Amino acid sequence: MQSNKISFKGQNIYVGIDVHLKTWHVTTLTESGYKYSFAQHDSGTGSASR
């Protein structure tokens, strides 16, 4: 079985977190240009406090 692994060894990894009242977004970016974004909407559980 062949394994495909990505190595970011020796690279800086930048993470941005953008939080709003009902959504939040996380984006990562590496020096080699690899980018991953994720968004999450409010689950409506009321667990967040203001």
Side-chain angles (χ1 to χ4, degrees):
M1 175 183 270
Q2 184 178 3
S3 176
N4 294 330
K5 293 184 181 183
I6 300 173
S7 175
F8 301 110
K9 186 174 182 176
Q11 294 187 46
N12 289 319
I13 299 175
Y14 304 94
V15 179
I17 302 173
D18 187 16
V19 180
H20 295 273
L21 184 61
K22 295 195 176 203
T23 61
W24 55 271
H25 302 263
V26 177
T27 300
T28 61
L29 183 64
T30 66
E31 291 177 351
S32 63
Y34 181 82
K35 179 180 177 183
Y36 179 78
S37 295
F38 175 80
Q40 177 70 43
H41 296 279
D42 180 21
S43 63
T45 61
S47 60
S49 62
R50 290 200 235 179

PDB file of all heavy atoms in Angstrom, residues 13-49:
ATOM      1  N   ILE A  13       4.087  28.050   8.950  1.00  0.00           N
ATOM      2  CA  ILE A  13       2.676  27.839   8.657  1.00  0.00           C
ATOM      3  C   ILE A  13       1.909  28.989   9.287  1.00  0.00           C
ATOM      4  O   ILE A  13       2.053  29.271  10.479  1.00  0.00           O
ATOM      5  CB  ILE A  13       2.180  26.481   9.205  1.00  0.00           C
ATOM      6  CG1 ILE A  13       2.955  25.350   8.538  1.00  0.00           C
ATOM      7  CG2 ILE A  13       0.682  26.332   8.972  1.00  0.00           C
ATOM      8  CD1 ILE A  13       2.644  23.982   9.081  1.00  0.00           C
ATOM      9  N   TYR A  14       1.111  29.661   8.482  1.00  0.00           N
ATOM     10  CA  TYR A  14       0.350  30.814   8.940  1.00  0.00           C
ATOM     11  C   TYR A  14      -1.115  30.406   9.087  1.00  0.00           C
ATOM     12  O   TYR A  14      -1.670  29.726   8.226  1.00  0.00           O
ATOM     13  CB  TYR A  14       0.475  31.963   7.941  1.00  0.00           C
ATOM     14  CG  TYR A  14       1.922  32.327   7.686  1.00  0.00           C
ATOM     15  CD1 TYR A  14       2.617  31.777   6.621  1.00  0.00           C
ATOM     16  CD2 TYR A  14       2.593  33.183   8.547  1.00  0.00           C
ATOM     17  CE1 TYR A  14       3.953  32.091   6.401  1.00  0.00           C
ATOM     18  CE2 TYR A  14       3.935  33.506   8.336  1.00  0.00           C
ATOM     19  CZ  TYR A  14       4.597  32.950   7.258  1.00  0.00           C
ATOM     20  OH  TYR A  14       5.910  33.256   7.049  1.00  0.00           O
ATOM     21  N   VAL A  15      -1.735  30.815  10.198  1.00  0.00           N
ATOM     22  CA  VAL A  15      -3.125  30.474  10.483  1.00  0.00           C
ATOM     23  C   VAL A  15      -3.900  31.754  10.731  1.00  0.00           C
ATOM     24  O   VAL A  15      -3.491  32.591  11.542  1.00  0.00           O
ATOM     25  CB  VAL A  15      -3.237  29.548  11.717  1.00  0.00           C
ATOM     26  CG1 VAL A  15      -4.690  29.231  12.020  1.00  0.00           C
ATOM     27  CG2 VAL A  15      -2.437  28.281  11.514  1.00  0.00           C
ATOM     28  N   GLY A  16      -5.018  31.906  10.020  1.00  0.00           N
ATOM     29  CA  GLY A  16      -5.908  33.042  10.234  1.00  0.00           C
ATOM     30  C   GLY A  16      -7.236  32.547  10.756  1.00  0.00           C
ATOM     31  O   GLY A  16      -7.789  31.571  10.251  1.00  0.00           O
ATOM     32  N   ILE A  17      -7.734  33.212  11.798  1.00  0.00           N
ATOM     33  CA  ILE A  17      -9.027  32.845  12.395  1.00  0.00           C
ATOM     34  C   ILE A  17      -9.921  34.076  12.363  1.00  0.00           C
ATOM     35  O   ILE A  17      -9.552  35.127  12.871  1.00  0.00           O
ATOM     36  CB  ILE A  17      -8.860  32.338  13.839  1.00  0.00           C
ATOM     37  CG1 ILE A  17      -7.917  31.138  13.864  1.00  0.00           C
ATOM     38  CG2 ILE A  17     -10.213  31.985  14.447  1.00  0.00           C
ATOM     39  CD1 ILE A  17      -7.550  30.676  15.258  1.00  0.00           C
ATOM     40  N   ASP A  18     -11.090  33.942  11.764  1.00  0.00           N
ATOM     41  CA  ASP A  18     -12.040  35.043  11.613  1.00  0.00           C
ATOM     42  C   ASP A  18     -13.338  34.624  12.295  1.00  0.00           C
ATOM     43  O   ASP A  18     -14.016  33.705  11.837  1.00  0.00           O
ATOM     44  CB  ASP A  18     -12.250  35.313  10.130  1.00  0.00           C
ATOM     45  CG  ASP A  18     -13.080  36.549   9.851  1.00  0.00           C
ATOM     46  OD1 ASP A  18     -13.248  37.377  10.768  1.00  0.00           O
ATOM     47  OD2 ASP A  18     -13.557  36.685   8.711  1.00  0.00           O
ATOM     48  N   VAL A  19     -13.658  35.280  13.398  1.00  0.00           N
ATOM     49  CA  VAL A  19     -14.819  34.880  14.203  1.00  0.00           C
ATOM     50  C   VAL A  19     -15.893  35.960  14.124  1.00  0.00           C
ATOM     51  O   VAL A  19     -15.621  37.143  14.323  1.00  0.00           O
ATOM     52  CB  VAL A  19     -14.412  34.656  15.674  1.00  0.00           C
ATOM     53  CG1 VAL A  19     -15.624  34.253  16.501  1.00  0.00           C
ATOM     54  CG2 VAL A  19     -13.320  33.610  15.776  1.00  0.00           C
ATOM     55  N   HIS A  20     -17.120  35.533  13.819  1.00  0.00           N
ATOM     56  CA  HIS A  20     -18.272  36.414  13.786  1.00  0.00           C
ATOM     57  C   HIS A  20     -19.334  35.842  14.725  1.00  0.00           C
ATOM     58  O   HIS A  20     -19.139  34.788  15.316  1.00  0.00           O
ATOM     59  CB  HIS A  20     -18.823  36.530  12.363  1.00  0.00           C
ATOM     60  CG  HIS A  20     -17.857  37.184  11.420  1.00  0.00           C
ATOM     61  ND1 HIS A  20     -17.781  38.536  11.261  1.00  0.00           N
ATOM     62  CD2 HIS A  20     -16.904  36.647  10.617  1.00  0.00           C
ATOM     63  CE1 HIS A  20     -16.824  38.822  10.387  1.00  0.00           C
ATOM     64  NE2 HIS A  20     -16.280  37.681   9.980  1.00  0.00           N
ATOM     65  N   LEU A  21     -20.430  36.532  14.836  1.00  0.00           N
ATOM     66  CA  LEU A  21     -21.477  36.118  15.775  1.00  0.00           C
ATOM     67  C   LEU A  21     -21.995  34.707  15.484  1.00  0.00           C
ATOM     68  O   LEU A  21     -22.158  33.908  16.404  1.00  0.00           O
ATOM     69  CB  LEU A  21     -22.638  37.114  15.737  1.00  0.00           C
ATOM     70  CG  LEU A  21     -23.763  36.870  16.738  1.00  0.00           C
ATOM     71  CD1 LEU A  21     -23.232  36.953  18.163  1.00  0.00           C
ATOM     72  CD2 LEU A  21     -24.879  37.881  16.528  1.00  0.00           C
ATOM     73  N   LYS A  22     -22.236  34.378  14.225  1.00  0.00           N
ATOM     74  CA  LYS A  22     -22.827  33.077  13.901  1.00  0.00           C
ATOM     75  C   LYS A  22     -21.938  32.167  13.061  1.00  0.00           C
ATOM     76  O   LYS A  22     -22.333  31.054  12.748  1.00  0.00           O
ATOM     77  CB  LYS A  22     -24.159  33.284  13.195  1.00  0.00           C
ATOM     78  CG  LYS A  22     -25.174  33.953  14.112  1.00  0.00           C
ATOM     79  CD  LYS A  22     -26.553  33.836  13.576  1.00  0.00           C
ATOM     80  CE  LYS A  22     -27.510  34.440  14.580  1.00  0.00           C
ATOM     81  NZ  LYS A  22     -28.838  33.947  14.448  1.00  0.00           N
ATOM     82  N   THR A  23     -20.762  32.627  12.646  1.00  0.00           N
ATOM     83  CA  THR A  23     -19.855  31.799  11.853  1.00  0.00           C
ATOM     84  C   THR A  23     -18.414  32.062  12.260  1.00  0.00           C
ATOM     85  O   THR A  23     -18.108  33.106  12.836  1.00  0.00           O
ATOM     86  CB  THR A  23     -19.964  32.088  10.342  1.00  0.00           C
ATOM     87  OG1 THR A  23     -19.620  33.442  10.101  1.00  0.00           O
ATOM     88  CG2 THR A  23     -21.341  31.789   9.806  1.00  0.00           C
ATOM     89  N   TRP A  24     -17.560  31.100  11.964  1.00  0.00           N
ATOM     90  CA  TRP A  24     -16.120  31.312  12.099  1.00  0.00           C
ATOM     91  C   TRP A  24     -15.415  30.601  10.967  1.00  0.00           C
ATOM     92  O   TRP A  24     -15.892  29.613  10.434  1.00  0.00           O
ATOM     93  CB  TRP A  24     -15.585  30.926  13.470  1.00  0.00           C
ATOM     94  CG  TRP A  24     -15.870  29.526  13.947  1.00  0.00           C
ATOM     95  CD1 TRP A  24     -16.965  29.118  14.656  1.00  0.00           C
ATOM     96  CD2 TRP A  24     -15.058  28.373  13.773  1.00  0.00           C
ATOM     97  NE1 TRP A  24     -16.881  27.776  14.916  1.00  0.00           N
ATOM     98  CE2 TRP A  24     -15.711  27.285  14.394  1.00  0.00           C
ATOM     99  CE3 TRP A  24     -13.839  28.132  13.154  1.00  0.00           C
ATOM    100  CZ2 TRP A  24     -15.180  26.009  14.407  1.00  0.00           C
ATOM    101  CZ3 TRP A  24     -13.317  26.846  13.171  1.00  0.00           C
ATOM    102  CH2 TRP A  24     -13.991  25.819  13.799  1.00  0.00           C
ATOM    103  N   HIS A  25     -14.275  31.168  10.558  1.00  0.00           N
ATOM    104  CA  HIS A  25     -13.499  30.654   9.442  1.00  0.00           C
ATOM    105  C   HIS A  25     -12.050  30.487   9.888  1.00  0.00           C
ATOM    106  O   HIS A  25     -11.522  31.331  10.615  1.00  0.00           O
ATOM    107  CB  HIS A  25     -13.531  31.617   8.255  1.00  0.00           C
ATOM    108  CG  HIS A  25     -14.895  31.917   7.749  1.00  0.00           C
ATOM    109  ND1 HIS A  25     -15.447  31.270   6.677  1.00  0.00           N
ATOM    110  CD2 HIS A  25     -15.834  32.789   8.169  1.00  0.00           C
ATOM    111  CE1 HIS A  25     -16.656  31.732   6.469  1.00  0.00           C
ATOM    112  NE2 HIS A  25     -16.915  32.667   7.357  1.00  0.00           N
ATOM    113  N   VAL A  26     -11.428  29.416   9.450  1.00  0.00           N
ATOM    114  CA  VAL A  26     -10.012  29.179   9.712  1.00  0.00           C
ATOM    115  C   VAL A  26      -9.342  28.914   8.367  1.00  0.00           C
ATOM    116  O   VAL A  26      -9.834  28.117   7.570  1.00  0.00           O
ATOM    117  CB  VAL A  26      -9.793  27.973  10.651  1.00  0.00           C
ATOM    118  CG1 VAL A  26      -8.316  27.703  10.850  1.00  0.00           C
ATOM    119  CG2 VAL A  26     -10.476  28.208  11.985  1.00  0.00           C
ATOM    120  N   THR A  27      -8.232  29.599   8.117  1.00  0.00           N
ATOM    121  CA  THR A  27      -7.463  29.392   6.894  1.00  0.00           C
ATOM    122  C   THR A  27      -6.009  29.192   7.267  1.00  0.00           C
ATOM    123  O   THR A  27      -5.481  29.911   8.110  1.00  0.00           O
ATOM    124  CB  THR A  27      -7.594  30.596   5.942  1.00  0.00           C
ATOM    125  OG1 THR A  27      -8.965  30.759   5.599  1.00  0.00           O
ATOM    126  CG2 THR A  27      -6.779  30.390   4.679  1.00  0.00           C
ATOM    127  N   THR A  28      -5.374  28.198   6.663  1.00  0.00           N
ATOM    128  CA  THR A  28      -3.947  27.973   6.855  1.00  0.00           C
ATOM    129  C   THR A  28      -3.241  28.150   5.518  1.00  0.00           C
ATOM    130  O   THR A  28      -3.793  27.842   4.467  1.00  0.00           O
ATOM    131  CB  THR A  28      -3.651  26.569   7.404  1.00  0.00           C
ATOM    132  OG1 THR A  28      -4.122  25.601   6.475  1.00  0.00           O
ATOM    133  CG2 THR A  28      -4.308  26.354   8.751  1.00  0.00           C
ATOM    134  N   LEU A  29      -2.024  28.650   5.581  1.00  0.00           N
ATOM    135  CA  LEU A  29      -1.221  28.871   4.392  1.00  0.00           C
ATOM    136  C   LEU A  29       0.224  28.562   4.721  1.00  0.00           C
ATOM    137  O   LEU A  29       0.727  28.972   5.766  1.00  0.00           O
ATOM    138  CB  LEU A  29      -1.358  30.325   3.937  1.00  0.00           C
ATOM    139  CG  LEU A  29      -0.648  30.740   2.659  1.00  0.00           C
ATOM    140  CD1 LEU A  29      -1.220  29.999   1.458  1.00  0.00           C
ATOM    141  CD2 LEU A  29      -0.755  32.239   2.464  1.00  0.00           C
ATOM    142  N   THR A  30       0.890  27.827   3.836  1.00  0.00           N
ATOM    143  CA  THR A  30       2.302  27.502   4.041  1.00  0.00           C
ATOM    144  C   THR A  30       3.160  28.297   3.067  1.00  0.00           C
ATOM    145  O   THR A  30       2.651  28.889   2.115  1.00  0.00           O
ATOM    146  CB  THR A  30       2.570  26.002   3.824  1.00  0.00           C
ATOM    147  OG1 THR A  30       2.342  25.703   2.445  1.00  0.00           O
ATOM    148  CG2 THR A  30       1.682  25.138   4.696  1.00  0.00           C
ATOM    149  N   GLU A  31       4.452  28.282   3.305  1.00  0.00           N
ATOM    150  CA  GLU A  31       5.382  28.983   2.429  1.00  0.00           C
ATOM    151  C   GLU A  31       5.371  28.418   1.013  1.00  0.00           C
ATOM    152  O   GLU A  31       5.634  29.122   0.049  1.00  0.00           O
ATOM    153  CB  GLU A  31       6.798  28.918   2.999  1.00  0.00           C
ATOM    154  CG  GLU A  31       6.959  29.730   4.256  1.00  0.00           C
ATOM    155  CD  GLU A  31       8.343  29.599   4.859  1.00  0.00           C
ATOM    156  OE1 GLU A  31       9.132  28.759   4.400  1.00  0.00           O
ATOM    157  OE2 GLU A  31       8.637  30.353   5.797  1.00  0.00           O
ATOM    158  N   SER A  32       5.060  27.141   0.874  1.00  0.00           N
ATOM    159  CA  SER A  32       5.032  26.520  -0.453  1.00  0.00           C
ATOM    160  C   SER A  32       3.723  26.797  -1.194  1.00  0.00           C
ATOM    161  O   SER A  32       3.563  26.393  -2.338  1.00  0.00           O
ATOM    162  CB  SER A  32       5.257  25.012  -0.342  1.00  0.00           C
ATOM    163  OG  SER A  32       4.207  24.420   0.409  1.00  0.00           O
ATOM    164  N   GLY A  33       2.784  27.479  -0.545  1.00  0.00           N
ATOM    165  CA  GLY A  33       1.541  27.852  -1.201  1.00  0.00           C
ATOM    166  C   GLY A  33       0.375  26.931  -0.919  1.00  0.00           C
ATOM    167  O   GLY A  33      -0.712  27.142  -1.433  1.00  0.00           O
ATOM    168  N   TYR A  34       0.564  25.910  -0.088  1.00  0.00           N
ATOM    169  CA  TYR A  34      -0.544  25.011   0.260  1.00  0.00           C
ATOM    170  C   TYR A  34      -1.545  25.788   1.110  1.00  0.00           C
ATOM    171  O   TYR A  34      -1.181  26.392   2.107  1.00  0.00           O
ATOM    172  CB  TYR A  34      -0.016  23.799   1.014  1.00  0.00           C
ATOM    173  CG  TYR A  34      -1.091  22.802   1.383  1.00  0.00           C
ATOM    174  CD1 TYR A  34      -1.547  21.867   0.456  1.00  0.00           C
ATOM    175  CD2 TYR A  34      -1.650  22.798   2.643  1.00  0.00           C
ATOM    176  CE1 TYR A  34      -2.529  20.958   0.783  1.00  0.00           C
ATOM    177  CE2 TYR A  34      -2.639  21.897   2.980  1.00  0.00           C
ATOM    178  CZ  TYR A  34      -3.077  20.972   2.052  1.00  0.00           C
ATOM    179  OH  TYR A  34      -4.052  20.081   2.379  1.00  0.00           O
ATOM    180  N   LYS A  35      -2.818  25.776   0.710  1.00  0.00           N
ATOM    181  CA  LYS A  35      -3.847  26.529   1.425  1.00  0.00           C
ATOM    182  C   LYS A  35      -5.011  25.614   1.769  1.00  0.00           C
ATOM    183  O   LYS A  35      -5.429  24.788   0.951  1.00  0.00           O
ATOM    184  CB  LYS A  35      -4.338  27.680   0.552  1.00  0.00           C
ATOM    185  CG  LYS A  35      -5.420  28.509   1.193  1.00  0.00           C
ATOM    186  CD  LYS A  35      -5.852  29.633   0.259  1.00  0.00           C
ATOM    187  CE  LYS A  35      -6.996  30.416   0.872  1.00  0.00           C
ATOM    188  NZ  LYS A  35      -7.487  31.461  -0.024  1.00  0.00           N
ATOM    189  N   TYR A  36      -5.527  25.767   2.992  1.00  0.00           N
ATOM    190  CA  TYR A  36      -6.710  25.019   3.418  1.00  0.00           C
ATOM    191  C   TYR A  36      -7.628  25.979   4.156  1.00  0.00           C
ATOM    192  O   TYR A  36      -7.174  26.735   5.017  1.00  0.00           O
ATOM    193  CB  TYR A  36      -6.330  23.858   4.335  1.00  0.00           C
ATOM    194  CG  TYR A  36      -7.530  23.083   4.821  1.00  0.00           C
ATOM    195  CD1 TYR A  36      -8.176  22.167   3.999  1.00  0.00           C
ATOM    196  CD2 TYR A  36      -8.041  23.299   6.089  1.00  0.00           C
ATOM    197  CE1 TYR A  36      -9.292  21.474   4.442  1.00  0.00           C
ATOM    198  CE2 TYR A  36      -9.161  22.606   6.531  1.00  0.00           C
ATOM    199  CZ  TYR A  36      -9.785  21.696   5.708  1.00  0.00           C
ATOM    200  OH  TYR A  36     -10.893  21.018   6.134  1.00  0.00           O
ATOM    201  N   SER A  37      -8.898  25.982   3.825  1.00  0.00           N
ATOM    202  CA  SER A  37      -9.882  26.838   4.497  1.00  0.00           C
ATOM    203  C   SER A  37     -11.017  25.988   5.025  1.00  0.00           C
ATOM    204  O   SER A  37     -11.407  24.987   4.424  1.00  0.00           O
ATOM    205  CB  SER A  37     -10.434  27.880   3.534  1.00  0.00           C
ATOM    206  OG  SER A  37      -9.432  28.771   3.129  1.00  0.00           O
ATOM    207  N   PHE A  38     -11.556  26.425   6.159  1.00  0.00           N
ATOM    208  CA  PHE A  38     -12.664  25.724   6.789  1.00  0.00           C
ATOM    209  C   PHE A  38     -13.612  26.757   7.376  1.00  0.00           C
ATOM    210  O   PHE A  38     -13.164  27.759   7.943  1.00  0.00           O
ATOM    211  CB  PHE A  38     -12.150  24.805   7.904  1.00  0.00           C
ATOM    212  CG  PHE A  38     -13.241  24.125   8.676  1.00  0.00           C
ATOM    213  CD1 PHE A  38     -13.863  23.001   8.162  1.00  0.00           C
ATOM    214  CD2 PHE A  38     -13.655  24.613   9.894  1.00  0.00           C
ATOM    215  CE1 PHE A  38     -14.881  22.373   8.872  1.00  0.00           C
ATOM    216  CE2 PHE A  38     -14.666  23.995  10.606  1.00  0.00           C
ATOM    217  CZ  PHE A  38     -15.283  22.876  10.093  1.00  0.00           C
ATOM    218  N   ALA A  39     -14.907  26.550   7.242  1.00  0.00           N
ATOM    219  CA  ALA A  39     -15.911  27.445   7.817  1.00  0.00           C
ATOM    220  C   ALA A  39     -16.894  26.632   8.650  1.00  0.00           C
ATOM    221  O   ALA A  39     -17.247  25.512   8.289  1.00  0.00           O
ATOM    222  CB  ALA A  39     -16.656  28.191   6.722  1.00  0.00           C
ATOM    223  N   GLN A  40     -17.322  27.209   9.750  1.00  0.00           N
ATOM    224  CA  GLN A  40     -18.281  26.544  10.639  1.00  0.00           C
ATOM    225  C   GLN A  40     -19.380  27.535  10.979  1.00  0.00           C
ATOM    226  O   GLN A  40     -19.101  28.679  11.354  1.00  0.00           O
ATOM    227  CB  GLN A  40     -17.582  26.076  11.922  1.00  0.00           C
ATOM    228  CG  GLN A  40     -18.495  25.438  12.937  1.00  0.00           C
ATOM    229  CD  GLN A  40     -19.001  24.079  12.479  1.00  0.00           C
ATOM    230  OE1 GLN A  40     -18.224  23.292  11.954  1.00  0.00           O
ATOM    231  NE2 GLN A  40     -20.259  23.815  12.659  1.00  0.00           N
ATOM    232  N   HIS A  41     -20.612  27.104  10.850  1.00  0.00           N
ATOM    233  CA  HIS A  41     -21.742  27.954  11.203  1.00  0.00           C
ATOM    234  C   HIS A  41     -22.198  27.620  12.624  1.00  0.00           C
ATOM    235  O   HIS A  41     -21.968  26.523  13.125  1.00  0.00           O
ATOM    236  CB  HIS A  41     -22.900  27.760  10.221  1.00  0.00           C
ATOM    237  CG  HIS A  41     -22.535  28.182   8.830  1.00  0.00           C
ATOM    238  ND1 HIS A  41     -22.554  29.493   8.435  1.00  0.00           N
ATOM    239  CD2 HIS A  41     -22.109  27.475   7.762  1.00  0.00           C
ATOM    240  CE1 HIS A  41     -22.180  29.576   7.189  1.00  0.00           C
ATOM    241  NE2 HIS A  41     -21.894  28.360   6.755  1.00  0.00           N
ATOM    242  N   ASP A  42     -22.865  28.569  13.252  1.00  0.00           N
ATOM    243  CA  ASP A  42     -23.378  28.392  14.607  1.00  0.00           C
ATOM    244  C   ASP A  42     -24.276  27.150  14.666  1.00  0.00           C
ATOM    245  O   ASP A  42     -25.147  26.964  13.833  1.00  0.00           O
ATOM    246  CB  ASP A  42     -24.175  29.631  15.011  1.00  0.00           C
ATOM    247  CG  ASP A  42     -24.754  29.531  16.403  1.00  0.00           C
ATOM    248  OD1 ASP A  42     -24.263  28.729  17.211  1.00  0.00           O
ATOM    249  OD2 ASP A  42     -25.706  30.276  16.687  1.00  0.00           O
ATOM    250  N   SER A  43     -24.021  26.302  15.656  1.00  0.00           N
ATOM    251  CA  SER A  43     -24.809  25.081  15.796  1.00  0.00           C
ATOM    252  C   SER A  43     -26.142  25.336  16.482  1.00  0.00           C
ATOM    253  O   SER A  43     -26.997  24.463  16.547  1.00  0.00           O
ATOM    254  CB  SER A  43     -24.015  24.037  16.587  1.00  0.00           C
ATOM    255  OG  SER A  43     -23.782  24.525  17.892  1.00  0.00           O
ATOM    256  N   GLY A  44     -26.316  26.539  17.052  1.00  0.00           N
ATOM    257  CA  GLY A  44     -27.582  26.878  17.704  1.00  0.00           C
ATOM    258  C   GLY A  44     -27.716  26.306  19.096  1.00  0.00           C
ATOM    259  O   GLY A  44     -28.799  26.303  19.671  1.00  0.00           O
ATOM    260  N   THR A  45     -26.613  25.797  19.683  1.00  0.00           N
ATOM    261  CA  THR A  45     -26.703  25.203  21.018  1.00  0.00           C
ATOM    262  C   THR A  45     -26.692  26.234  22.120  1.00  0.00           C
ATOM    263  O   THR A  45     -26.996  25.924  23.252  1.00  0.00           O
ATOM    264  CB  THR A  45     -25.533  24.222  21.247  1.00  0.00           C
ATOM    265  OG1 THR A  45     -24.314  24.954  21.151  1.00  0.00           O
ATOM    266  CG2 THR A  45     -25.562  23.103  20.228  1.00  0.00           C
ATOM    267  N   GLY A  46     -26.311  27.472  21.795  1.00  0.00           N
ATOM    268  CA  GLY A  46     -26.281  28.512  22.811  1.00  0.00           C
ATOM    269  C   GLY A  46     -25.107  28.393  23.754  1.00  0.00           C
ATOM    270  O   GLY A  46     -25.133  28.939  24.835  1.00  0.00           O
ATOM    271  N   SER A  47     -24.058  27.672  23.369  1.00  0.00           N
ATOM    272  CA  SER A  47     -22.915  27.459  24.270  1.00  0.00           C
ATOM    273  C   SER A  47     -21.978  28.655  24.322  1.00  0.00           C
ATOM    274  O   SER A  47     -21.188  28.778  25.224  1.00  0.00           O
ATOM    275  CB  SER A  47     -22.139  26.209  23.847  1.00  0.00           C
ATOM    276  OG  SER A  47     -21.670  26.367  22.526  1.00  0.00           O
ATOM    277  N   ALA A  48     -22.092  29.564  23.350  1.00  0.00           N
ATOM    278  CA  ALA A  48     -21.222  30.742  23.360  1.00  0.00           C
ATOM    279  C   ALA A  48     -21.843  31.846  24.217  1.00  0.00           C
ATOM    280  O   ALA A  48     -23.053  32.033  24.244  1.00  0.00           O
ATOM    281  CB  ALA A  48     -21.030  31.252  21.940  1.00  0.00           C
ATOM    282  N   SER A  49     -21.005  32.539  24.931  1.00  0.00           N
ATOM    283  CA  SER A  49     -21.511  33.643  25.757  1.00  0.00           C
ATOM    284  C   SER A  49     -20.961  34.953  25.223  1.00  0.00           C
ATOM    285  O   SER A  49     -19.918  35.003  24.608  1.00  0.00           O
ATOM    286  CB  SER A  49     -21.094  33.445  27.209  1.00  0.00           C
ATOM    287  OG  SER A  49     -19.693  33.450  27.321  1.00  0.00           O
TER     288      SER A  49
END
